[in-house]
Amino acid sequence: MIDESAWVVIPLYNEGTVIGGVIRDLLQHFSHVVCVDDGSSDDSAAAARAAGALLVQHPINLGQGAALQTGFEFALGQPRCEYVVTFDADGQHRIEDALQMLEVARRDDIAIVFGSRFLDKRTNPGLIKRIVLKTAVWVTNMTTGMHLTDAHNGLRVIRRDALSQVDLKQDRMAHATEIVIALGSTGLPWREHPVELLYTDYSKGKGQSVLNSINILVDLVVR
């Protein structure tokens, strides 16, 4: 069955070669996929639209946090939206995990489900990235008072009542800590769920693993 009440929000920046496949796969399970093109310089916007996504565009690059906030506001403007699934554009997230997280949210009346690559051993991010991510978890937990195992995982399920209390101001990688703070402060029930991240040849070829690690460290220091 295709989910009618969960809206998938994808921040999109220069992923034109892969975004079409990601969207087509998602549309087999979700009726509503929203891409927020964050000032891409390639054909990401055209590829997303051609694949069947709803498209919202930033005229310039504002950062992933800003793209997510735009997507949240768009989804909240849809009366039938009950949940938002945040999903990355690069093909590293598994739709099966998103569907399982939605099932947990509905079955157990959980408002926020965070994906975690560290609750089992399926994901191997590499030593450097693992150290950075564990550092980010420690800082985030100290800041928020929560006890997450994976603070910088872009796969989340957020119920409408929780999402309406999120107003992201951090535009770059620091938004990942900010969104945890915002969601934790709602007082609504939350849970982590084990997920597998697929470190593909494509993402490794772009150097995303190392670059994102550096970005996370920089933003943690700046904050």
Side-chain angles (χ1 to χ4, degrees):
M1 295 180 63
I2 295 181
D3 199 306
E4 297 280 352
S5 63
W7 289 61
V8 181
V9 171
I10 303 177
L12 175 61
Y13 181 67
N14 288 348
E15 303 284 3
T17 59
V18 296
I19 188 59
V22 171
I23 292 167
R24 285 188 290 272
D25 288 345
L26 283 164
L27 286 173
Q28 295 182 42
H29 302 275
F30 298 94
S31 292
H32 310 291
V33 177
V34 182
C35 282
V36 181
D37 181 60
D38 191 33
S40 293
S41 59
D42 67 357
D43 64 344
S44 289
R49 186 184 287 112
L54 296 167
L55 184 67
V56 182
Q57 289 183 273
H58 290 166
I60 60 173
N61 179 245
L62 298 175
Q64 192 174 84
L68 278 174
Q69 185 61 38
T70 295
F72 293 164
E73 292 170 3
F74 184 91
L76 287 170
Q78 316 306 315
R80 292 189 173 184
C81 175
E82 297 177 4
Y83 296 88
V84 157
V85 179
T86 62
F87 205 88
D88 285 356
D90 59 7
Q92 290 191 346
H93 289 158
R94 299 192 327 139
I95 297 173
E96 301 96 309
D97 290 331
L99 293 171
Q100 289 173 10
M101 290 163 66
L102 268 170
E103 181 183 359
V104 167
R106 288 174 169 137
R107 183 191 66 215
D108 297 340
D109 195 25
I110 303 296
I112 308 126
V113 183
F114 297 99
S116 173
R117 79 199 87 183
F118 297 125
L119 287 177
D120 60 30
K121 296 183 179 181
R122 288 177 294 167
T123 303
N124 180 17
L127 179 60
I128 295 176
K129 191 171 181 69
R130 181 181 294 274
I131 291 171
V132 172
L133 289 170
K134 289 293 187 180
T135 302
V137 168
W138 181 80
V139 172
T140 299
N141 288 347
M142 290 291 291
T143 304
T144 65
M146 299 175 75
H147 299 284
L148 297 175
T149 62
D150 191 355
H152 281 258
N153 193 321
L155 183 55
R156 314 173 189 88
V157 169
I158 310 172
R159 200 170 64 195
R160 186 184 186 95
D161 54 346
L163 190 69
S164 65
Q165 300 181 57
V166 174
D167 184 17
L168 299 179
K169 302 299 184 185
Q170 296 284 345
D171 52 1
R172 303 291 169 180
M173 295 305 293
H175 79 273
T177 299
E178 184 184 20
I179 195 170
V180 173
I181 294 173
L183 292 172
S185 67
T186 67
L188 293 167
W190 63 272
R191 184 178 298 176
E192 283 191 298
H193 186 80
V195 302
E196 180 182 9
L197 263 66
L198 306 174
Y199 293 108
T200 63
D201 290 340
Y202 168 77
S203 63
K204 291 176 182 177
K206 291 184 69 175
Q208 288 185 356
S209 179
V210 175
L211 179 60
N212 283 347
S213 299
I214 294 170
N215 287 339
I216 290 168
L217 282 179
V218 168
D219 275 339
L220 286 172
V221 170
V222 170
R223 288 184 78 258

